[in-house]
Amino acid sequence: MSEVYGVRRDRLRDQCAATGSAGALVSRPANVRYLAGGAPPGAVLLLGPGEDHLLCPRTPTGDPAYGRLDEQLRLTVLPTSAGDPAVAAGELARTVGVESLAVEEHHLTVARHRAVGSVAPRLRLADLGLAVEHQRLVKDEEEIACLRIAAEITDQALGELLESILVGRTERHLALELERRLVDHGADGPAFPTSVATGPNSGCGGHRPTDRRVEEGDFLAVCVGANYRGYLCEIGRTFVIGTTPADWQIELYDIVFTAQRAARESLSPGAAYRDVDHAARQILDSAGHGEGLPPLTGHGVGLEIDEEPQLAPAAMGKLDACVPVTVEPGVHLPGRGGVRIDDTLVVRQVADGGPELLTITTKELLAL
């Protein structure tokens, strides 16, 4: 993989050179990991005209959760008295002859930005912008393989939970059990805080588990994902507990399922982000559920659980092949509950079979 990281850094270096910067300071952890193979806590990456330096506030522990560093990088562990690695990187850039340094202004605080400038008054600071995030947008096949494994782990954990007794257990307990099962199957941890929502809580996006117990006739909505080698996936499913679903539950589920399928089928290279959102939103709106819908239908995933692109009504841009995204429409009826169906997919050319579904747990409305 070291060659891959070197190619990524060279690509960024060329972008910086084209805009007049001889170096770049990368501080956002996901971007550091993308370019360096790992991101120990507090580390920053300095791309120079010669060597590339990873500056760390302490010696990396080798914890796999933070990745495996590219051996081609020059690792500098700063003394305790050195302070902020970003400031130390600015000073190092000056000593190696960099006159203009591109920094991630969207990540650095104003105070850190000023501190970097103060140690090297003659160093011109430019804005790197979202250059690394844009580079991360399209995944290579090794990244997609990590996402695929993360999805397999998530499907396994969810499938095992559904085979256990659920009535009487709390949302909080079920969420903790899911996260334990993720680790048991090889995940580095959960991709995000697991959401388990029952009864009137179901269908609420981002619901934090409570001590409410699962009851007969409840909707049970689960949103969970695994972290595998830094790559994150997401799956959301809704079930009915214990009995044959009520008519209103079947009707609501069918509407959300139809909307989710329409959005999934619209995923293709060249499709506008907003059109994918519209494919789901128009179905929910036509069914009378236009009020209170989530602000977006899906988003990119990778080293972060919420990356570009955003599949939203006003989003600008078009999909490329090999971009992983979620498709996650949902409807919540206050006081009754609701349905969310969420998959992680990779955009593929039609000739390659169309969108690749990574999360394969059944979307049938099961009575558990």
Side-chain angles (χ1 to χ4, degrees):
M1 272 295 284
S2 62
E3 300 84 3
V4 171
Y5 301 126
V7 169
R8 291 172 181 173
R9 294 196 298 272
D10 286 342
R11 190 180 302 137
L12 182 62
R13 200 186 333 269
D14 290 345
Q15 284 183 261
C16 292
T19 58
S21 293
L25 170 59
V26 180
S27 55
R28 186 173 182 178
N31 291 346
V32 172
R33 183 162 186 164
Y34 179 76
L35 297 167
V44 301
L45 177 65
L46 176 66
L47 271 62
E51 285 186 306
D52 297 329
H53 300 255
L54 188 75
L55 293 86
C56 301
R58 62 191 66 86
T59 302
T61 62
D63 186 336
Y66 299 118
R68 184 175 180 179
L69 293 174
D70 179 6
E71 296 178 355
Q72 301 303 313
L73 285 170
R74 182 166 180 176
L75 177 64
T76 301
V77 179
L78 301 172
T80 305
S81 60
D84 188 344
V87 175
E91 192 167 12
L92 178 59
R94 177 184 58 81
T95 63
V96 298
V98 173
E99 296 181 355
S100 178
L101 181 68
V103 302
E104 294 184 306
E105 291 186 353
H106 63 290
H107 181 261
L108 289 179
T109 63
V110 172
R112 293 184 84 193
H113 191 280
R114 287 175 177 167
V116 172
S118 68
V119 296
R122 295 184 180 179
L123 181 66
R124 184 174 65 86
L125 299 182
D127 185 14
L128 182 60
L130 300 176
V132 184
E133 285 87 346
H134 291 159
Q135 196 179 137
R136 285 167 46 197
L137 192 66
V138 175
K139 272 60 174 179
D140 61 36
E141 289 303 325
E142 186 159 348
E143 291 180 284
I144 292 172
C146 288
L147 285 167
R148 195 177 289 121
I149 294 172
E152 290 172 358
I153 291 170
T154 307
D155 281 321
Q156 284 180 303
L158 181 56
E160 288 178 357
L161 182 75
L162 300 182
E163 293 174 356
S164 62
I165 296 173
L166 301 175
V167 173
R169 299 168 70 184
T170 68
E171 295 175 348
R172 200 186 313 275
H173 182 258
L174 293 176
L176 289 172
E177 181 173 335
L178 269 171
E179 293 183 354
R180 178 185 61 79
R181 290 180 184 274
L182 292 175
V183 175
D184 287 347
H185 286 292
D188 295 326
F192 51 89
T194 299
S195 176
V196 175
T198 62
N201 297 331
S202 59
C204 292
H207 172 74
R208 293 301 180 95
T210 69
D211 289 325
R212 187 185 187 278
R213 296 185 181 277
V214 178
E215 299 177 0
E216 292 275 346
D218 275 352
F219 263 143
L220 170 68
V222 176
C223 188
V224 61
N227 175 343
Y228 180 76
R229 297 187 178 178
Y231 285 86
L232 315 175
C233 79
E234 183 175 327
I235 184 173
R237 294 290 186 268
T238 303
F239 310 96
V240 173
I241 297 298
T243 62
T244 302
D247 289 346
W248 73 270
Q249 291 176 319
I250 295 172
E251 179 183 353
L252 185 61
Y253 192 92
D254 286 347
I255 291 167
V256 176
F257 176 80
T258 301
Q260 206 253 4
R261 181 177 59 194
R264 283 190 286 115
E265 292 176 348
S266 71
L267 294 174
S268 62
Y273 302 156
R274 62 175 61 181
D275 288 347
V276 178
D277 177 86
H278 180 69
R281 197 172 295 271
Q282 68 173 344
I283 292 172
L284 300 178
D285 190 41
S286 297
H289 299 295
E291 293 295 323
L293 290 179
L296 48 77
T297 294
H299 53 78
V301 291
L303 290 170
E304 295 174 294
I305 197 58
D306 190 354
E307 298 186 349
E308 293 297 321
Q310 300 291 294
L311 307 180
M316 302 298 292
K318 296 182 178 181
L319 291 169
D320 289 313
C322 299
V323 173
V325 296
T326 67
V327 175
E328 48 182 291
V331 171
H332 176 256
L333 304 180
R336 303 180 75 185
V339 174
R340 297 186 69 83
I341 305 175
D342 183 354
D343 280 308
T344 299
L345 307 96
V346 180
V347 179
R348 299 285 194 184
Q349 298 283 356
V350 174
D352 296 326
E356 178 186 355
L357 182 64
L358 301 186
T359 45
I360 61 173
T361 296
T362 181
K363 286 186 279 290
E364 180 184 354
L365 180 56
L366 298 179
L368 303 176

